[in-house]
Amino acid sequence: MEDLSELYESYADEVKYFLICLTSNVDLAEELTQENFYQAVKSIDRYNGKCKMSVWLCQIAKHTYYNFLKKEKRNTHMSVENMMQMGVDIPSNADLPDVEIVKRNTLISIHKEIHLLNEPYREIFLLRTSINLSFKEIGEIFDKSENWARVTYYRAKLKLAERIDLDEL
């Protein structure tokens, strides 16, 4: 097993990039990267070496992000309720330039559609596009062939294209 600082230096950028793709927020991705390695250190004894270390760390990153979303959903709901009870005006997107609103809404829509893909399509799509794993590596993760990974990725792209109508965005 690598030294923890070597582990961090070797994989932090890859995990951060994966989280940037998930969150579309560099600051949040950096924060979650730190949490990710904390969680990895706590559960390092469960790493069995059947997949690459980077894949294992990205799986932890995905779960770290999902846990963040659950907490954020609870906090946001409570914060909005508290603000409304106190009579505070809730800021809207009206203060942002129109182009930024469209870009943000488009990114949000695309990420929502990615996360609505069924498994294994979602995970294969993210492994291929976020951390640039080869089809061979993706096949190994799923105990399938390289060709299965290629076909499944292609189908994921088709499903995503069907769901995203760029004229509506």
Side-chain angles (χ1 to χ4, degrees), residues 35-162:
E35 175 66 20
N36 184 73
F37 279 91
Y38 171 73
Q39 295 298 328
V41 168
K42 283 179 27 179
S43 60
I44 194 71
D45 58 319
R46 288 186 276 175
Y47 176 66
N48 58 16
K50 288 186 179 179
C51 65
K52 289 174 60 176
M53 177 63 75
S54 59
V55 173
W56 183 72
L57 290 169
C58 286
Q59 286 287 34
I60 294 172
K62 179 175 71 170
H63 292 292
T64 302
Y65 176 57
Y66 290 161
N67 289 337
F68 168 81
L69 289 178
K70 288 176 191 173
K71 289 177 189 173
E72 195 64 23
K73 185 176 179 181
R74 284 191 302 260
N75 291 341
T76 302
H77 180 68
M78 291 174 55
S79 298
V80 170
E81 279 184 4
N82 293 342
M83 289 174 69
M84 290 174 62
Q85 288 174 351
M86 295 175 8
V88 175
D89 287 334
I90 299 171
S92 68
N93 287 341
D95 299 334
L96 298 175
D98 290 341
V99 174
E100 289 302 315
I101 293 172
V102 170
K103 283 172 65 177
R104 183 171 174 79
N105 287 343
T106 302
L107 275 176
I108 290 170
S109 295
I110 290 170
H111 278 279
K112 281 182 181 178
E113 294 303 328
I114 289 170
H115 289 288
L116 290 175
L117 287 172
N118 292 329
E119 291 297 345
Y121 300 112
R122 174 180 48 228
E123 190 167 355
I124 289 172
F125 185 84
L126 289 173
L127 289 172
R128 181 70 178 163
T129 59
S130 297
I131 57 175
N132 300 320
L133 289 184
S134 69
F135 291 115
K136 182 179 181 188
E137 292 169 323
I138 293 170
E140 288 173 0
I141 291 169
F142 287 90
D143 291 324
K144 303 281 185 179
S145 69
E146 180 178 345
N147 192 47
W148 175 87
R150 285 181 189 281
V151 169
T152 307
Y153 174 72
Y154 176 76
R155 289 178 182 163
K157 286 193 324 183
L158 288 179
K159 288 178 181 291
L160 193 57
E162 288 173 5

